[in-house]
Amino acid sequence: MTKFIVVAGGVISGVGKGVATASIGRILKEYGFSVTAVKIDPYINCDAGTLRPTEHGEVWVTNDGGEIDQDLGNYERFLEQAIPKKNNITTGQIYRTLIEKERKGDFLGETVQFIPHVTDEIKNRVKEASSGFDIALVELGGTVGDYENIPFLFAMKSLEKEIGKENVAYILVTYLPIPSHIEEMKTKPTQLSVKLLQENGILPDFILCRGKKALDEVRKKKIETYANIDSEHVISMPDVTGEGTPNTLYIIPLLLEKEKLGEKILNTLNLERKKEPDFTAWKKAVDNIISPEKEIDIAIVGKYLDIGDYKLVDSYISINEALKHASAKNNVRINISWIDSKELERTDEKILEKFRGIIIPGGFGSIGIEGKIKAIKFCRENNIPFLGLCFGLQLAVVEFARNVCNLENANSTEINPATRFPVIDILPEQKSVSEKGATMRLGAYKAILKDDTLTKQLYNSNEIYERHRHRYEVNPEFHKILQENGLIFSGTSENERLVEFIELPEHKFFIATQAHPEFNSSLLKPSPLFDGFVKACIGS
Ligand code: GLN
């Protein structure tokens, strides 16, 4: 039978509940268990596909085409296994299913109610996503005390009743602020979160205390007494990133293991370890990130960067992480400068001279695109390593069409529907799409790689799968002219209609892909394209 670990957050969101969940999963996997993780998002959207990246961070794409909250990315990176879209449950999905069933008459006259219908639907989905695994982590988005969290907490409590307390452990991840005017770590918000959780009939088995600093004994004792739990179950989780601290989240499973969290959780769930954990390779990779031998500067030219007065690089978190994986493998620190493509439109491209390589990430719409095209031209003409991802490939084709093939003002029809040279055009199956949600070309698709290309050399395989999320493609009408002018289609769909990878010969590294290889990268298995890009940057 599957054992469940429910992870809820207290005090504020954004304190790393997702990474904590993923880290616990990694630890338990090391003890020999099959582990999965489920993310509950209490919003009414059916998935994250329609959410603004600057508000909610990147949209994660699963192999089976789900557009999901970025936490699923953390689960995949830490667990090193693919997680399907059914592992993300939202309020929108629950109500949509119930309303569809009700309209079909499936309830046979019953009154459809919040309890038990909504809560049963939640419970069933959690069970379905977890079936076949030894342990399932269920992370509840938001913060305890949010109105919208109530049905999910209720459903978890009801699951506990059904399968027995020994099969469910609750973890509360809280935050202990240190207000600058008193410089003292305060436990009160944590106490209040415990109280709020108890209002739902749930007592935490563990409290993970996030904070700028480690928890001291006095505060640990206070929390322990207040929550009535064993002091061994109050775990300190100080910041691991920021000034003067190691710049990686991958250290967290190692830190939690130091606190023997894995063993303590197994005890709580009445489980015996199935094997001795071995973190050797993981630790080596983390050490490489913390104290690398080399250092390089690269730039990412994007548009989803600012929200109010703050920069939100979470919009590109998977790219950041894929670079980190490559940095661990190549023993190099990668300093990333985030360049706003809107600003680059107004600036001299010479500002790019100081970077060893440039990445153009995915994107939508016309804002800032001329800035991105400027950066691509600069890379192409100056032999600077370039990696284009999805929109990055499309804009590299636009740049090549304009400046090498002399197709004046060539463009993507996404940006200029009236262009004379629509080198990027909407996919035929996208023309009739009217609903925006979950209708792009989504998920893993096969690409056949061409002999004697750098792309094939890097992947070391004839055919590969990468994940996609787009509506536009390289227009087949322009394939010939682009190739005649020297652009190599280093990977295509099986029927060669879709261009999946391009590269330029006689360039240090100029590769772009219609896919998002950043969704297929982990600490111990970096994406081949990111690895190749970083190697080229080191060598340049
Ligand atoms: N906007 C482009 C398209 O829809 C690229 C999408 C992306 O970069 N993910 O095809």
Side-chain angles (χ1 to χ4, degrees):
M1 189 221 266
T2 307
K3 303 257 185 182
F4 292 86
I5 300 170
V6 179
V7 184
V11 185
I12 50 169
S13 62
V15 296
K17 184 156 45 73
V19 173
T21 306
S23 300
I24 293 168
R26 177 74 210 186
I27 292 171
L28 297 172
K29 208 173 162 176
E30 282 299 326
Y31 279 89
F33 295 93
S34 65
V35 179
T36 192
V38 177
K39 173 75 194 290
I40 290 175
D41 283 306
Y43 44 64
I44 294 175
N45 304 60
C46 287
D47 59 38
T50 53
L51 292 171
R52 195 178 300 124
T54 45
E55 204 166 298
H56 214 82
E58 164 194 278
V59 177
W60 173 260
V61 182
T62 58
N63 270 338
D64 61 350
E67 295 175 286
I68 315 278
D69 178 273
Q70 50 171 314
D71 276 322
L72 248 73
N74 282 324
Y75 303 163
E76 286 206 17
R77 286 187 280 265
F78 280 73
L79 288 172
E80 295 191 285
Q81 76 196 35
I83 306 263
K85 65 179 167 191
K86 68 178 177 193
N87 286 37
N88 183 228
I89 301 170
T90 73
T91 299
Q93 292 169 16
I94 304 289
Y95 278 91
R96 181 151 92 172
T97 305
L98 289 176
I99 289 169
E100 277 168 8
K101 273 196 196 165
E102 187 276 331
R103 290 291 79 190
K104 270 201 231 148
D106 286 358
F107 290 105
L108 305 172
E110 262 180 87
T111 307
V112 186
Q113 289 181 303
F114 177 65
I115 295 169
H117 297 95
V118 169
T119 49
D120 277 355
E121 179 65 28
I122 296 169
K123 205 166 59 173
N124 291 340
R125 282 176 181 246
V126 168
K127 285 201 280 192
E128 153 82 16
S130 315
S131 124
F133 288 90
D134 297 329
I135 300 174
L137 288 129
V138 182
E139 181 193 346
L140 181 50
T143 312
V144 194
D146 293 347
Y147 291 121
E148 51 189 21
N149 267 343
I150 293 170
F152 298 102
L153 289 168
F154 191 98
M156 292 303 100
K157 187 68 193 169
S158 139
L159 178 72
E160 175 203 309
K161 164 124 190 317
E162 194 180 305
I163 63 173
K165 177 64 190 83
E166 69 283 9
N167 296 315
V168 184
Y170 296 99
I171 298 181
L172 180 66
V173 183
T174 68
Y175 187 72
L176 288 99
I178 308 177
S180 57
H181 60 289
I182 46 173
E183 279 299 332
E184 184 204 336
M185 185 179 255
K186 302 303 282 180
T187 61
K188 181 71 80 194
T190 296
Q191 296 176 27
L192 291 175
S193 317
V194 172
K195 183 166 170 246
L196 283 168
L197 196 58
Q198 286 182 345
E199 282 173 11
N200 295 277
I202 294 173
L203 280 171
D205 294 289
F206 294 89
I207 302 182
L208 301 192
C209 299
R210 292 276 302 111
K212 219 177 163 124
K213 294 187 185 157
L215 202 59
D216 62 358
E217 277 311 311
V218 177
R219 277 149 201 89
K220 199 167 184 169
K221 187 88 204 143
K222 228 179 185 172
I223 294 171
E224 171 199 328
T225 314
Y226 191 89
N228 254 324
I229 62 173
D230 196 344
S231 88
E232 298 277 280
H233 285 202
V234 180
I235 311 277
S236 175
M237 258 185 95
D239 284 354
V240 293
T241 56
E243 237 171 277
T245 47
N247 183 24
T248 178
L249 298 173
Y250 298 104
I251 197 169
I252 292 175
L254 304 176
L255 297 178
L256 292 178
E257 255 316 72
K258 263 199 197 145
E259 304 260 354
K260 298 199 169 18
L261 184 61
E263 209 176 297
K264 292 175 191 171
I265 292 178
L266 293 185
N267 285 340
T268 306
L269 291 171
N270 273 332
L271 288 169
E272 293 280 339
R273 64 178 70 186
K274 290 189 178 174
K275 75 168 186 64
E276 285 311 306
D278 180 6
F279 281 103
T280 322
W282 191 276
K283 190 167 179 312
K284 170 87 185 65
V286 168
D287 285 346
N288 282 357
I289 296 176
I290 294 173
S291 35
E293 281 169 1
K294 310 170 272 284
E295 190 163 345
I296 52 169
D297 294 329
I298 68 148
I300 299 182
V301 182
K303 88 164 173 180
Y304 302 117
L305 290 176
D306 38 291
I307 175 152
D309 289 343
Y310 297 89
K311 281 216 164 195
L312 191 96
V313 293
D314 251 18
S315 322
Y316 302 110
I317 185 169
S318 294
I319 298 177
N320 211 354
E321 293 308 307
L323 282 169
K324 200 145 279 169
H325 307 149
S327 99
K329 180 165 175 200
N330 292 288
N331 213 333
V332 61
R333 169 164 298 131
I334 303 175
N335 303 316
I336 305 172
S337 290
W338 300 88
I339 304 220
D340 189 331
S341 50
K342 294 170 289 232
E343 274 169 34
L344 189 60
E345 285 181 349
R346 302 184 286 267
T347 323
D348 190 333
E349 63 266 30
K350 290 244 157 43
I351 62 148
L352 299 173
E353 260 169 6
K354 57 179 183 284
F355 301 111
R356 302 279 276 274
I358 289 173
I359 294 179
I360 306 287
F364 294 83
S366 56
I367 296 171
I369 70 125
E370 292 304 328
K372 293 182 184 177
I373 291 174
K374 202 172 183 178
I376 296 167
K377 182 165 187 271
F378 186 76
C379 290
R380 185 178 55 75
E381 290 180 339
N382 295 289
N383 205 11
I384 292 169
F386 161 75
L387 179 60
L389 308 168
C390 201
F391 209 26
L393 172 136
Q394 298 175 359
L395 297 178
V397 169
V398 168
E399 192 282 321
F400 191 84
R402 285 183 189 175
N403 301 318
V404 181
C405 308
N406 294 319
L407 303 175
E408 206 183 323
N409 292 327
N411 218 329
S412 162
T413 52
E414 178 179 2
I415 295 146
N416 177 9
T419 174
R420 251 185 83 202
F421 301 113
V423 287
I424 305 295
D425 197 12
I426 192 140
L427 286 153
E429 62 269 27
Q430 287 290 328
K431 287 194 175 135
S432 55
V433 165
S434 55
E435 278 193 19
K436 288 270 189 277
T439 54
M440 284 189 238
R441 179 172 180 245
L442 290 168
Y445 284 92
K446 182 156 72 177
I448 309 295
L449 304 185
K450 198 186 204 138
D451 287 341
D452 305 321
T453 60
L454 181 55
T455 308
K456 183 161 176 177
Q457 193 186 318
L458 291 171
Y459 277 99
N460 195 19
S461 178
N462 292 330
E463 50 176 71
I464 54 107
Y465 286 82
E466 291 285 13
R467 301 180 195 183
H468 293 68
R469 182 173 188 257
H470 63 120
R471 294 190 199 280
Y472 292 80
E473 62 166 332
V474 180
N475 187 343
E477 282 177 28
F478 291 86
H479 283 186
K480 195 159 166 264
I481 185 166
L482 291 165
Q483 286 175 295
E484 278 171 1
N485 280 278
L487 191 65
I488 310 279
F489 295 171
S490 46
T492 62
S493 58
E494 213 147 26
N495 64 5
E496 296 187 12
R497 193 180 71 93
L498 295 171
V499 177
E500 298 285 20
F501 293 86
I502 59 167
E503 65 181 59
L504 283 179
E506 283 139 45
H507 190 286
K508 247 181 236 161
F509 186 103
F510 191 103
I511 295 188
T513 170
Q514 188 57 77
H516 288 278
E518 66 272 24
F519 295 140
N520 226 339
S521 185
S522 60
L523 185 59
L524 303 181
K525 249 190 269 141
S527 155
L529 281 197
F530 281 82
D531 185 32
F533 170 74
V534 167
K535 285 195 165 76
C537 293
I538 295 169
S540 71

